[in-house]
Amino acid sequence: MQGGSSGIGYGLKYQARCISDVKADKDHTSFLTGTLSLKEENEVHLLRLSSGGSELLCEGLFSHPNEIWDLASCPFDQRIFSTVFSTGDSFGAAVWQIPEPYGQSNSSTLECVASLDAHVGKINCVLWCPSGKSDKLISMDEQNLVLWSLDSSKQSAEVLYKESAGMRHSLSGGAWNPHDLNSVAATSESSIQFWDLRTMKKVNSIERAHVRNVNYNLKREHILVSADDESGIHIWDLRKAKVPVQELPGHTHWTWAVRCNPEYEELILSVGTDSAVNLWFASASSEKKTSESLVEASRLRVNPLLNSYTDYEDSVYGLAWSSREPWIFASLSYDGRVVIESVKPFLPRR
């Protein structure tokens, strides 16, 4: 296990918590990030990695009216994204469009495509359908899941379904299943809940306290990864979810988020309030593996931590793999520091 960092840095003006891969940009490795300042006008930065991979450039700078607590890029249109924001007194959510032309010389105003205004309490996140072409999205507050149909051409969003999770559960976030578009996993104080979007009913759950974040493995249909506040990272096979199939130590303080690599199924990233980003090897199925790779997998099960990136002075909250170059990821610490790293030295043998 190595330490330190040799990544490419970029500094935001204010504090920040969220960063998103711009999946719909097929020509550039791009990320969107937004700031979290109570007293100043907040900003959304469109960042692109230079063609040589040596610089992180600001391609667009846009003013945003409120503190940004969640940001997610639209999977089928690189100019559209969602934010969850706080005015200081209440929470809101909206879908935005980047205007054209744009640049980083001055701050442009975003165009509001639709306001996701079916919530009363604290909104936690907005999830885009991972199919890459659907107009459906989900917004989630502490008590409710809301399924929307977005029409960006008419600048409107229609509520299709709204369902309560019940007073005993306080929802905190979730993930849309890329292998079953009718299924969403939602995290709460005491469980991971699985919802069927056709009926908007909870169909299953994993009883687990203090789950902070979940992420589906894009390459393995039944695998879900969870980040727990105090007990690290757990990998679940949803066909037999009574106990995790693998446990990783996580971080020395709270493990805040986990992300499975979009191409290399064994690689998992995690970030935490210990000011670190950890790269893990989670052993995959032994099918179709050579004897050499089986030996390597056995060694990594003993010490699954491949690398710890420690080039931060504050808690790390934001994390995103690049879908265009899946050996690259971006991380974001609370003090507004974005770092781009390459995991090429750690890619598993194929």
Side-chain angles (χ1 to χ4, degrees):
M1 190 272 290
Q2 301 178 18
S5 176
S6 57
I8 303 164
Y10 177 88
L12 305 178
K13 189 186 294 187
Y14 309 119
Q15 294 171 328
R17 297 177 74 97
C18 45
I19 192 165
S20 176
D21 169 45
V22 184
K23 186 177 180 181
D25 187 350
K26 305 301 183 184
D27 299 320
H28 310 90
T29 298
S30 305
F31 299 93
L32 276 170
T33 183
T35 63
L36 187 77
S37 174
L38 181 60
K39 296 182 179 179
E40 307 292 339
E41 185 168 272
N42 284 279
E43 300 172 339
V44 172
H45 293 239
L46 173 61
L47 306 178
R48 284 179 179 161
L49 193 62
S50 64
S51 56
S54 59
E55 293 182 275
L56 189 58
L57 308 172
C58 180
E59 289 293 318
L61 178 61
F62 314 100
S63 59
H64 187 282
N66 306 108
E67 297 177 302
I68 301 172
W69 284 82
D70 176 78
L71 185 153
S73 182
C74 172
F76 58 84
D77 188 328
Q78 63 180 299
R79 292 176 56 211
I80 294 178
F81 64 95
S82 61
T83 62
V84 172
F85 52 85
S86 171
T87 64
D89 299 317
S90 62
F91 277 78
V95 177
W96 307 88
Q97 181 168 278
I98 294 173
E100 288 187 324
Y102 58 83
Q104 59 94 27
S105 57
N106 52 25
S107 184
S108 303
T109 302
L110 296 164
E111 301 169 7
C112 184
V113 174
S115 179
L116 307 180
D117 53 5
H119 297 273
V120 176
K122 179 185 177 182
I123 306 170
N124 291 306
C125 66
V126 174
L127 307 176
W128 291 85
C129 180
S131 70
K133 53 188 176 183
S134 172
D135 62 351
K136 303 297 188 296
L137 42 77
I138 290 172
S139 57
M140 196 180 300
D141 62 38
E142 291 180 324
Q143 300 296 331
N144 302 284
L145 282 84
V146 183
L147 180 64
W148 300 82
S149 175
L150 176 69
D151 189 335
S152 55
S153 63
K154 295 182 180 179
Q155 294 196 326
S156 66
E158 176 189 2
V159 174
L160 298 178
Y161 300 101
K162 182 177 180 178
E163 188 62 39
S164 171
M167 295 302 293
R168 293 191 304 111
H169 301 283
S170 180
L171 302 180
S172 56
W176 203 317
N177 189 340
H179 308 287
D180 179 1
L181 300 182
N182 293 311
S183 178
V184 166
T187 58
S188 74
E189 292 177 341
S190 59
S191 67
I192 305 170
Q193 304 177 9
F194 298 93
W195 289 74
D196 188 328
L197 298 181
R198 294 166 295 190
T199 61
M200 290 300 287
K201 299 296 181 184
K202 186 177 73 171
V203 294
N204 202 357
S205 66
I206 298 173
E207 299 306 312
R208 195 82 192 177
H210 307 300
V211 176
R212 178 69 63 177
N213 188 238
V214 291
N215 193 238
Y216 283 95
N217 191 313
L218 286 170
K219 292 297 183 179
R220 302 180 65 195
E221 184 175 352
H222 304 287
I223 299 300
L224 180 78
V225 182
S226 66
D228 299 357
D229 271 356
E230 299 172 357
S231 55
I233 299 163
H234 295 85
I235 301 170
W236 305 88
D237 186 330
L238 299 180
R239 295 166 297 183
K240 43 184 179 181
K242 289 187 177 181
V243 294
V245 295
Q246 190 175 358
E247 299 184 27
L248 303 172
H251 291 252
T252 57
H253 201 247
W254 289 349
T255 303
W256 195 265
V258 286
R259 296 289 182 271
C260 299
N261 187 278
E263 183 63 32
Y264 302 96
E265 64 184 50
E266 302 95 339
L267 297 184
I268 295 173
L269 282 171
S270 66
V271 295
T273 52
D274 59 353
S275 307
V277 179
N278 289 340
L279 175 67
W280 306 92
F281 181 93
S283 54
S285 169
S286 60
E287 296 176 9
K288 298 181 181 179
K289 287 185 178 291
T290 65
S291 58
E292 182 182 7
S293 61
L294 283 171
V295 170
E296 179 71 1
S298 177
R299 181 186 68 81
L300 289 166
R301 273 194 292 271
V302 176
N303 183 17
L305 182 60
L306 295 176
N307 197 30
S308 187
Y309 304 89
T310 57
D311 192 21
Y312 308 90
E313 297 179 357
D314 210 335
S315 298
V316 186
Y317 292 123
L319 182 63
W321 287 104
S322 167
S323 54
R324 181 174 175 268
E325 296 184 280
W327 52 88
I328 288 173
F329 72 87
S331 54
L332 172 68
S333 53
Y334 187 59
D335 56 6
R337 177 172 171 78
V338 179
V339 178
I340 301 292
E341 297 276 4
S342 171
V343 302
K344 270 190 175 180
F346 307 102
L347 293 183
R349 295 176 182 146
R350 291 290 180 89

